[in-house]
Amino acid sequence: MIKDRLFRIMLENYGYQGWWPITSMAGEEGFNSLGYHPGDYTPPHNKAERFEIIVGALLTQNTSWINVEKAIEHMRMEAIITPEDILKTPPDKLAFVVKSSGYYNEKAKKLKRISGFFADDVKLEKESAFSGIVTREILLSLWGIGKETADSILLYAYHYPVFVVDTYTKRILSRLGIIRGSESYDEIQMLFSSEELNAEKHKFCNEYHALFVQHAKRYCRKKPVCSGCPLADMCIMRKTGKNIIIGDYR
DNA sequence: CCCCAGGGAATTC
DNA sequence: GAATTCCATGGG
C-alpha cells in the first residue's frame, strides 16, 4: 500500500514527532522543552491537557504554531486556562490575550463558544461534552469548528482513530500524484482510512499527520525544496518538473 | 517590500 | 456545490 510506504519513509527520515505539543507540560518528565513527547508513545490526557489541545487546535487555524504558543503562554500568564476562566473574561481582553495568534477577534469568539460547551457548570441547549460523548457532528455544530479542527480535536485530544486532512496533506498528496487536488476533504480522508479495528490505530493517524506537517515544513513548502527530499523518487512534480497542483494548496 | 502560516464562516452564484 | 472575501499577527 502506498500509504504505508509513504508513512515508513517519512518516519525513517523524521522520526516520531511527539504530537500534540502541550506547552504547559514543557520540561516535565516525558516532554521536551517545547511540550512535545518524542518517541512511540501517546500519553493519556487529563482534563486540563485535553482542553489545552482543544484551545491550540482552534488558535492554530491558518496560523503558525509559534504564534499560537505565544498566545497560550499569554493566557497562562493571565490565568485564563479553563473554560470557566475563558467564559468570565471580557471579550476585548480575551482578544488582546490571544492577539499573537492572529484573527484575534474571531478566535476570542471561538474560544468563548467552545468553552461554553466544555464548561462543567454551563448548560447550553446541547448536552455538556463532559456528560456525554464528543462526536464529530457535535463539534462541527459549534461555530468556529470545521472538519479539520474537529478531526484534530477527536484525534489529539480524545485519541479517536481519525485521519486529519490539512493544507499540507493536500499539497503533498497532489504533488506526489496521489490526488488530483480537486478532491473533497472527506474523499481524501477516506484514502487513509481502514476498516480494520485496531486499538493502536489512533497512533498511526497521530504520527501520520505530524509527519506530513514536518515534511511540508522541511521540503514540501509552497515553494518546494526538492534537493534532498526523501520522497523525490516517488514524486510526480519532481519527475515532471512541474507543479501539478490544481487547487491553491498553500 | 513581499510571502507565508497545522481554517472557517459568510456571501454569492 | 464551487468560488470569493474577510479575518490579522509575526517571522522570514
Side-chain angles (χ1 to χ4, degrees):
Chain A
M1 291 284 276
I2 183 70
K3 66 176 182 180
D4 294 319
R5 181 170 167 230
L6 190 53
F7 179 82
R8 180 162 36 79
I9 295 175
M10 289 196 294
L11 184 58
E12 285 171 359
N13 280 274
Y14 305 126
Y16 289 102
Q17 300 299 301
W19 275 38
W20 185 285
I22 302 172
T23 65
S24 61
M25 293 300 286
E28 298 293 323
E29 184 177 356
F31 296 82
N32 70 13
S33 61
L34 297 177
Y36 293 81
H37 47 88
D40 181 16
Y41 163 68
T42 304
H45 297 305
N46 60 33
K47 193 169 160 182
E49 292 178 11
R50 190 161 53 215
F51 190 66
E52 186 186 316
I53 293 171
I54 291 167
V55 168
L58 265 178
L59 295 183
T60 199
Q61 290 173 356
N62 202 35
T63 302
S64 59
W65 183 251
I66 184 68
N67 283 1
V68 175
E69 276 189 325
K70 295 176 195 291
I72 292 177
E73 191 58 34
H74 197 180
M75 288 174 73
R76 191 167 300 113
M77 297 275 289
E78 297 289 333
I80 303 172
I81 308 294
T82 67
E84 291 81 2
D85 294 335
I86 290 173
L87 287 174
K88 71 186 182 190
T89 302
D92 288 350
K93 178 172 183 183
L94 186 58
F96 175 72
V97 170
V98 300
K99 189 166 183 285
S100 67
S101 67
Y103 309 131
Y104 49 83
N105 287 313
E106 284 201 2
K107 285 177 177 174
K109 196 190 302 179
K110 291 176 181 181
L111 288 176
K112 289 272 190 184
R113 292 295 297 155
I114 201 159
S115 293
F117 182 70
F118 282 100
D120 285 333
D121 55 357
V122 173
K123 302 296 180 188
L124 296 184
E125 296 111 42
K126 296 184 181 295
E127 58 189 318
S128 165
F130 290 130
S131 65
I133 296 174
V134 175
T135 67
R136 193 177 197 245
E137 184 181 11
I138 292 174
L139 290 172
L140 288 175
S141 74
L142 298 174
W143 187 86
I145 296 184
K147 289 178 179 177
E148 190 198 325
T149 306
D151 287 341
S152 292
I153 291 172
L154 292 174
L155 173 60
Y156 290 108
Y158 292 94
H159 297 163
Y160 287 6
V162 178
F163 195 88
V164 176
V165 178
D166 67 347
T167 304
Y168 290 154
T169 307
K170 296 175 189 171
R171 182 200 292 164
I172 293 168
L173 292 179
S174 59
R175 284 176 176 172
L176 289 174
I178 295 174
I179 64 174
R180 292 196 319 277
S182 55
E183 292 87 345
S184 69
Y185 184 101
D186 297 319
E187 283 179 294
I188 298 170
Q189 187 176 51
M190 292 283 269
L191 294 176
F192 290 83
S193 302
S194 61
E195 298 302 323
E196 59 184 301
L197 293 175
N198 184 341
E200 303 295 297
K201 201 159 87 176
H202 75 90
K203 290 187 178 181
F204 179 75
C205 294
N206 178 320
E207 205 60 45
Y208 216 136
H209 176 66
L211 286 167
F212 267 150
V213 172
Q214 178 60 26
H215 179 61
K217 284 179 173 173
R218 176 64 183 82
Y219 294 104
C220 211
R221 304 176 182 176
K222 184 165 186 179
K223 186 183 176 75
V225 179
C226 298
S227 176
C229 174
L231 302 178
D233 63 339
M234 54 189 291
C235 182
I236 296 295
M237 188 195 74
R238 175 67 167 170
K239 287 175 182 170
T240 62
K242 298 197 315 188
N243 191 329
I244 63 165
I245 294 176
I246 296 173
D248 177 25
Y249 292 136
R250 297 162 294 165

